[in-house]
Amino acid sequence: MVRRGDWMLERLLERGTATAVESVGGRWRRVRLEGVGGLDWKPGRHVRVQVGELSLRGARDLLRTYSVWDYDGDALELRVFGHGEGPGARWAGELEKGAEVMFKAPEGGFTVREGAAGHLFVGEETASVAFGAMTRSLDGRARAVVEVGDPADRLPIEGDVAWLERGAASAFDSKRLVEAVASLEGLAPGTVAYLAGEAKTCQAVKRHLLHDRGWPRRDIVVKPFWTPGRRGMD
Ligand SMILES: Cc1cc2nc3c(=O)[nH]c(=O)nc-3n(C[C@H](O)[C@H](O)[C@H](O)COP(=O)(O)OP(=O)(O)OC[C@H]3O[C@@H](n4cnc5c(N)ncnc54)[C@H](O)[C@@H]3O)c2cc1C
C-alpha cells in the first residue's frame, strides 16, 4: 500500500537513476543522476535529495541539499563531501549504481550576477561545488579563495584561485580564510562577492568586506551551507 506521505513525495519530487557513484579524489563522492530532462538549472543552484524515509519522528532527516556540479539537459552531476555519519553523508556512502534517487527540482538564488565588474568566490570544500559550476560559466573571469582540509579535496575551479590548507583544524569560523581575503589586492570596484560554506566563516568574511573594505552590501551574496550542531541547513 502506498502511504499518504509517500504519495505526496512522489508528486513533489523528481526521480533519476544513479548511473555513477564513485570517489573522485580526496573525500569527494561523485553521484550522477540520469533520466532527469527538462530541469531549470543555472550554475549555483542546488537540489534537495531524499536521503531518508518519512517517519513518525518527522522529516528532519528526509532531505539534504547539494549544489549541482553540472547539468547537461538529461543528467545531473553532484559532488558530496564525506564528513561524518549524518543522513546525507551516509546516503552518498551507501548509494549504489542503478538505484533510484528522488530530489526536488533545482532551486536557489545563489547564482552569478550578470554584468558585475568582477566576481570573487570565498568558502570551503562544500562551497567549491557551487563555485566550480559558477566559475565555469564565467570562462575564468573569477577570483576565488577556497579553504580545504587537504590538497586532495580540491575540486576544479576556474580563474585565479588561492587555495588554503587547514589540515586537521575545524572549518568553523576560519580566521585563515578572512585573513586571506583581507590580503587580496586589485579587486575592481563593483566586484560581487559570493560567500558560501560554513556559516560562521561566511559571517566573518562578510563583516570584513563591509567594515574593513567598505564593500557595498548589495554586492555581497551569502549562502551558509552548514555549521557545527545544525543538521540539514538549507
Ligand atoms: C545550498 C546548499 C548547497 C550545498 N551543496 C553541497 C554540496 O554540493 N556538497 C556537499 O557535500 N554539501 C553541500 N551542502 C552542505 C550539506 O547540505 C550539509 O553538509 C549537510 O548538513 C550534510 O548532511 P548530513 O546529513 O551529512 O549531515 P547533517 O546531519 O546535516 O549534519 C550533522 C553534523 O555534521 C556536521 N557537518 C555537516 N556538514 C558538514 C561539512 N560539510 N563539513 C564538516 N562537518 C559537517 C555538523 O556538525 C552537523 O551538525 C550544501 C548545503 C546548502 C545549504
Side-chain angles (χ1 to χ4, degrees), residues 28 44-47 51 60-61 63-69 78-90 107 110 124-130 166 171 223-234:
W28 288 107
R45 281 196 172 155
H46 58 265
V47 289
V51 299
R60 192 176 61 177
D61 289 343
L63 302 170
R64 287 293 183 267
T65 307
Y66 296 102
S67 306
V68 175
W69 174 253
L78 307 180
R79 298 290 182 271
V80 181
F81 187 62
H83 61 78
E85 288 297 317
R90 225 175 18 244
E107 58 192 344
F110 191 73
E124 40 66 52
E125 291 93 345
T126 54
S128 65
V129 185
R166 68 168 177 277
K223 184 69 190 164
F225 280 10
W226 67 278
T227 203
R230 282 280 300 277
R231 302 178 64 186
M233 267 179 95
D234 186 19

Side-chain angles (χ1 to χ4, degrees), residues 194-209:
Y194 307 87
L195 318 180
E198 198 286 313
K200 191 84 192 298
T201 307
C202 289
Q203 282 172 17
V205 176
K206 182 177 178 182
R207 260 196 318 274
H208 158 69
L209 293 177

Side-chain angles (χ1 to χ4, degrees), residues 10 13-17 33-37 100-103:
E10 292 267 336
L13 303 183
E14 309 287 331
R15 180 192 298 261
T17 305
L33 302 179
E34 288 192 14
V36 292
E100 194 167 77
V101 176
M102 311 273 277
F103 62 93

